[in-house]
Amino acid sequence: MRIVSKMLIATTMLGVAVPALGQEVLVTAQRRGYNNGDASYSDGVVASSRPIINLKRTADYAVQTVRVVGDARDSTTRRNDLRATISNMIATAGKAGVELATGNYVLEPLTLARYGNLAFSGDGRPDTDQTSFLAKVRLTPGMTIDAAKAKIAQFVASVSKVGRSQVSATDGLTLSVINPDQYRGQIIDLIAADAALSAAKFGTGSGVDVTGLDRPVEWARGGPTDVFLFLPSTYTVRKR
């Protein structure tokens, strides 16, 4: 006989994703919809709701978009200036405590071997090209989001710019997490403890049916530097 069905659902909306093992993923508050009304992924992310049982922890990185723009009249000179400026950024980022990356979902390091793949586009003005990528700061214990932002700003200001190139950072910061699935065991422990506590309230012989434990670990932003990690689980307490 069913006694109670407990849905572990809250109202916060978030992105759900399936990264390969060990990959770094971007945490975003943007909701992505289902593709054609089914459960397939759209750009690697689908919409879901955050369960109330979750693991809250500090993210691995604070991440900010950096824009490099140049307006030299000659197009060849302009592109060469931009590439030289980006090369300078890659060469000096490590000393500034900053890492550079590309990607809208799974992040990849921006290196001297890969920066030639960056795409350039106009910005609405004549004789102007721009490109953008990500600057990251590892979140050490006690570091605030303002401190991370200040470190990126200091790095951007220190960049050796070539020709008429300019470098700027956007206002907003987001977060990233490395290999979210490594926390699966901790999340299952939290679900098991909550389910056992609920079952105990209904007396001897009560058991629990749990679903969703085979799904990928999902995430949502939990604060300025924190993330929620969870499984889209539900459980039902039953009389055995």
Side-chain angles (χ1 to χ4, degrees), residues 169-214:
T170 61
D171 290 334
L173 274 79
T174 187
L175 307 172
S176 69
V177 178
I178 298 173
N179 187 19
D181 268 325
Q182 68 178 296
Y183 303 103
R184 174 181 296 277
Q186 295 179 55
I187 298 167
I188 291 176
D189 287 345
L190 293 173
I191 295 170
D194 190 86
L197 183 63
S198 293
K201 294 180 182 296
F202 293 93
T204 304
S206 296
V208 179
D209 294 335
V210 184
T211 63
L213 298 183
D214 59 334

Side-chain angles (χ1 to χ4, degrees), residues 6-141:
K6 184 173 182 180
M7 299 294 292
L8 314 180
I9 303 296
T11 58
T12 303
M13 305 310 295
L14 58 112
V16 178
V18 189
L21 186 64
Q23 288 183 325
E24 181 183 0
V25 295
L26 200 62
V27 176
T28 174
Q30 181 181 1
R31 180 182 177 184
R32 303 290 182 88
Y34 285 98
N35 185 15
N36 297 324
D38 62 21
S40 60
Y41 293 97
S42 174
D43 294 328
V45 183
V46 298
S48 182
S49 299
R50 178 171 62 83
I52 60 174
I53 300 175
N54 54 74
L55 176 66
K56 186 177 182 180
R57 69 177 302 275
T58 302
D60 292 300
Y61 286 91
V63 184
Q64 191 170 24
T65 299
V66 173
R67 177 173 174 262
V68 184
V69 60
D71 61 358
R73 182 63 60 89
D74 178 71
S75 61
T76 300
T77 300
R78 185 167 65 244
R79 294 287 179 93
N80 288 340
D81 289 349
L82 289 172
R83 292 189 180 97
T85 298
I86 295 168
S87 177
N88 290 341
M89 295 177 72
I90 295 170
T92 58
K95 294 180 180 179
V98 173
E99 299 176 40
L100 304 180
T102 60
N104 295 319
Y105 168 53
V106 175
L107 303 189
E108 298 287 345
L110 179 61
T111 64
L112 290 174
R114 298 183 64 247
Y115 83 106
N117 296 327
L118 288 171
F120 294 102
S121 63
D123 73 344
R125 296 179 295 164
D127 302 325
T128 304
D129 281 318
Q130 66 173 343
T131 190
S132 61
F133 44 90
L134 303 173
K136 311 185 302 174
V137 171
R138 182 172 283 277
L139 291 169
T140 56

